[in-house]
Every structure is written in C-alpha cells, then in structure tokens.
C-alpha cells in the first residue's frame, strides 16, 4: 500500500513552492490513481485547515494524514484537524538524540510515550510513529522504541532510512526484525541518496511491510525518496498485486515537475518521454516483429507511445521496416545507398531522422 507524501516530503524539495490550488490539483490526481494514503503536509502549515476542507469531500476510501514532530503541543494541534491518521516523527539514532534533541535515550523514550499517549487521549484513532534515521540507530534501541509506541497505542510504525544508506538485503533484514516482534503494521520511508529508494521500498513491501512512502518523481529532501510512478507501476504491472490507475500517472509527473521546477530526464523510468523510443538497428527491427522482445510492458499500460526512428545506428532491416511503415516503395539495390545516406544525415543532425526526412531522402535515392 502506498503512502504518497508528495505534499509533505516532496514539498520539502529545495526551491519547491506549491500553492494551495496546485496542492489540491495534485491531491485530486493522486486520488484518481488510487493511492492508499495521502500525507497532506505537516502540522503548522498556514493553510492546512482550508486545504483539508477542500480535499476531504473527494477523498473516498483514501486515508488522509498529516505529519507531526514528537511534541505534545504539535499533537494537540494535529488533533483539531480531523485527519484520519497522524504520523509522528521521532529520531532514534544517538546522533540525533544527543545533538538535535539534546537529550538521552531514556529522555527520548519518555517523550515518545507521553506524545503517543496524549494523541490517543485526544481522540486520534490512528497514530503512526516514524522512527527516523533508523539506518544509523542501535537496532535494539530502535526496536525498544517501536515496542513502546505499540504499547502506548500506536497503530503503525514507520521505519525511515533518512539518509538512504540501506541496500535491499539490509532493508529485508530490518523489516523482518521489526515484523517478527511487532503486532502492528510496518511502513517504510526510503531515501534515494544512493539510488536505492525504489528497490528498498519494493523489497520492504515484499518482505512484510504493509506500507511504503512515495512521492511523484521521487522528489523530496536532497535526492528524494522512492518514486510513486515507479513503485505503483511495478506493483501493478510486474507483480500484479495492486490495481493503481497508472495510465494517469505520466500527466501527473509532468504537472509536479512543472510546479516543483524540476526537469524529467527523457529516460526516467515510467515518466521519461523516450523510454519507448528506439533507434538501434537490431532492436528497432525486432520491435517491428514483436514489441515484447525488447519492452518489459506495453506503452499503453502507462499512457505512453512507442517511437521507432532510423538514424546513425540503423541497419538495412530497420531502414526497410521504416520505409514500409511510411508507404515508400524501394528496391533491394537502392537500399544500401539509402542506409548510408540515412546514417550520414543523422550524424550531421546529431539525432534520428523524422519520417518526413526519411521519405525525402528516399526520394533522392
């Protein structure tokens, strides 16, 4: 199950400023895709109450949550928002406990117990406790904090690899350790500093976590987190374990990219414009026979289009297929010269040829 936190973690991206109208549009599209929970922001946002009023009528079965630091004062504010879930963040590494919170392990546990207990007394029915910087924490202490949160009434524990240090095998072991000791569901929050976020999120879900945090395009602090489009597509297409409406996800990626001021690499998984573009001769010819030979799924599955063009990497078979597709008659004797001309022009233009350019070139040969 996916917790989309584009409007909380994603909004923390350096230089990203989402207006309330844009946040509403993003939330509406996430609801259409069918994510299981949307983290709408954090306690203390100036317009959070107005934003919740806008989103609540359209939420349907999707849970709405808000993030809060582990402080009773903030929990009291969170309790007034009428959210389905409150996600409490608490660091569990000594680095954070000592240098950021200026306390010790026992002091942290006291704060955690008091905050979770207060949340329950204030009527918050679903309390999620996020253990931050889990990858640098003492495992036994982190587990102690998780068990304490459960005893105080938490409904979920979220393991946050805040610096993206874990690899899939380490994530598997971490999830197994907590899953075996806890009676409440696990979630994971995987940062992408070493490019492991999506793999870690999927591994965690496969090995027993019930939830994974994601953001559109993976945006967030530093290198961001696991990408909504990648995890949702993998679960829907490859695993066939979920039914997210991923044919709607590419336009959402474009919307978020524009709003956040980031570009989408043309080869970015799921979102890139050229992920179904082919120029290589062997691959292009094979695609004309059976797309399944070199495509992991149909472009239709994500609302994309296939582009096959000829250029400097194309051979006779690929050029012949392109001529046939464009309704150009040709003879075997003229083909070698045309192939050479195609390659020469493509290298001069530093790109594959358009259909118009190919037809014009064919007329000359």
């Amino acid at each position: 199950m996916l917790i989309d936190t584009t409007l909380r973690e994603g909004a923390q991206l350096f230089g990203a400023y989402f207006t309330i109208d844009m946040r509403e549009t993003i939330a509406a599209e996430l609801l259409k895709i069918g994510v299981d929970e949307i983290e709408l922001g954090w306690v203390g946002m100036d317009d959070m109450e107005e934003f919740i009023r806008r989103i609540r009528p359209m939420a349907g079965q999707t849970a709405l949550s808000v993030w809060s630091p582990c402080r009773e004062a903030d929990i009291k504010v969170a309790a007034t928002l009428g959210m389905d879930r409150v996600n409490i963040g608490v660091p569990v590494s000594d680095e954070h406990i000592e240098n950021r919170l200026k306390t010790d392990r026992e002091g942290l546990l006291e704060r955690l117990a008091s905050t979770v207990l207060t949340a329950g007394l204030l009527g918050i029915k679903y309390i999620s406790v996020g253990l931050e910087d889990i990858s640098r924490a003492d495992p036994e202490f982190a587990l102690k904090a998780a068990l304490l949160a459960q005893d105080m009434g938490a409904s979920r524990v979220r393991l946050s690899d805040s610096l993206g240090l874990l690899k899939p095998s380490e994530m598997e072991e971490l999830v197994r350790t907590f899953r075996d000791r806890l009676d409440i569901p696990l979630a994971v929050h995987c940062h992408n500093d070493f490019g492991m976020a999506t793999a870690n999120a999927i591994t965690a879900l496969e090995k027993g976590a019930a939830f994974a945090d994601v953001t559109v395009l993976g945006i967030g602090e530093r290198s961001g987190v696991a990408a909504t489009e990648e995890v949702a597509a993998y679960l829907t297409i490859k695993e066939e374990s979920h039914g997210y409406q991923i044919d709607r996800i590419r336009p959402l990626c474009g919307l978020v990219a524009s709003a956040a001021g980031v570009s989408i690499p043309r080869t970015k998984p799921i979102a890139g414009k050229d992920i179904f573009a082919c120029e290589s001769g062997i691959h292009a010819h094979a695609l004309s026979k059976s797309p399944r030979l070199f495509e992991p799924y149909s472009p239709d599955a994500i609302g994309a289009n296939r582009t096959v063009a000829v250029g400097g990497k194309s051979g006779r078979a690929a050029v012949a297929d392109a001529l046939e597709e464009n309704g150009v008659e040709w003879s075997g004797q003229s083909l070698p010269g045309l192939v050479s001309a195609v390659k020469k022009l493509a290298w001069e233009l530093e790109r594959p040829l358009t259909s118009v350019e190919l037809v014009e070139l064919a007329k000359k040969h």
Side-chain angles (χ1 to χ4, degrees):
M1 298 175 70
L2 299 186
I3 304 171
D4 190 282
T5 181
T6 303
L7 302 176
R8 197 277 298 175
E9 172 70 45
Q12 294 173 210
L13 170 68
F14 180 79
Y17 290 87
F18 299 144
T19 66
I20 189 171
D21 290 338
M22 178 54 68
R23 282 151 52 207
E24 181 179 0
T25 301
I26 292 171
E29 291 303 310
L30 289 169
L31 290 169
K32 292 173 184 176
I33 289 167
V35 297
D36 308 278
E37 178 177 336
I38 300 177
E39 194 169 45
L40 294 180
W42 54 88
V43 170
M45 291 180 71
D46 292 338
D47 53 8
M48 180 56 76
E49 292 184 10
E50 168 62 21
F51 185 42
I52 295 169
R53 280 195 292 270
R54 292 190 186 191
I55 304 303
R56 175 60 68 189
M58 65 176 82
Q61 297 300 309
T62 299
L64 303 180
S65 62
V66 66
W67 185 89
S68 172
C70 188
R71 290 195 296 257
E72 290 188 27
D74 292 287
I75 291 301
K76 290 177 181 178
V77 175
T80 68
L81 297 175
M83 304 295 283
D84 301 315
R85 299 171 181 177
V86 174
N87 300 317
I88 300 172
V90 56
V92 289
S93 69
D94 290 332
E95 185 82 18
H96 277 265
I97 293 171
E98 297 170 5
N99 297 320
R100 174 179 157 200
L101 300 183
K102 304 301 182 183
T103 186
D104 54 21
R105 291 184 179 185
E106 288 306 311
L108 180 81
L109 293 177
E110 290 177 9
R111 178 187 294 195
L112 174 60
S114 176
T115 303
V116 174
L117 184 60
T118 297
L121 293 173
L122 290 172
I124 299 174
K125 299 188 181 302
Y126 194 105
I127 305 163
S128 176
V129 173
L131 305 182
E132 300 171 355
D133 204 19
I134 189 76
S135 52
R136 294 194 297 177
D138 172 25
E140 288 302 316
F141 175 70
L143 185 58
K144 184 176 182 180
L147 290 168
L148 176 62
Q150 176 179 272
D151 291 343
M152 292 296 102
S155 304
R156 176 176 72 199
V157 166
R158 182 157 64 172
L159 308 177
S160 179
D161 181 15
S162 304
L163 298 183
L165 298 176
L166 299 180
K167 57 188 178 184
S169 59
E170 293 169 327
M171 177 59 73
E172 177 182 351
E173 182 62 29
L174 181 68
V175 168
R176 181 183 292 113
T177 297
F178 279 77
R179 183 199 61 197
D180 291 347
R181 295 290 301 276
L182 294 175
D183 298 321
I184 56 178
L186 277 180
V188 293
H189 182 88
C190 305
H191 273 262
N192 199 42
D193 296 83
F194 287 97
M196 299 287 181
T198 291
N200 280 338
I202 290 170
T203 297
L205 291 171
E206 181 185 25
K207 299 304 178 181
F211 304 88
D213 285 10
V214 291
T215 66
V216 177
L217 297 176
I219 63 172
E221 291 279 2
R222 302 183 315 280
S223 299
V225 297
T228 302
E229 65 277 7
E230 294 174 8
V231 180
Y234 191 88
L235 295 176
T236 301
I237 298 174
K238 170 63 169 56
E239 295 298 298
E240 298 182 349
S241 59
H242 293 70
Y244 297 111
Q245 301 303 306
I246 54 174
D247 58 326
R248 309 181 66 97
I249 211 159
R250 282 165 62 89
L252 175 57
C253 290
L255 176 71
V256 171
S258 177
V262 299
S263 60
I264 301 177
R266 62 190 181 93
T267 55
K268 190 180 190 309
I270 312 301
K273 70 179 182 66
D274 284 345
I275 59 174
F276 288 101
C278 180
E279 179 191 353
S280 175
I282 294 175
H283 288 194
H285 181 56
L287 286 172
S288 71
K289 306 304 179 185
S290 174
R292 285 176 55 86
L293 291 172
F294 285 106
E295 289 177 352
Y297 53 87
S298 169
D300 294 340
I302 59 170
N305 297 305
R306 182 183 299 112
T307 300
V308 179
V310 294
K313 310 176 191 75
S314 302
R316 295 186 185 187
V319 173
D321 290 337
L323 291 172
E324 186 174 331
E325 183 178 335
N326 285 280
V328 177
E329 296 183 3
W330 52 277
S331 68
Q333 292 180 336
S334 64
L335 188 58
L338 178 57
V339 171
S340 296
V342 165
K343 291 183 176 182
K344 182 176 183 294
L345 181 57
W347 278 104
E348 290 173 355
L349 298 173
E350 297 184 343
R351 60 168 174 78
L353 306 188
T354 66
S355 295
V356 172
E357 290 167 340
L358 174 63
V359 171
E360 289 299 316
L361 201 60
K363 288 179 181 179
K364 297 177 181 178
H365 287 77

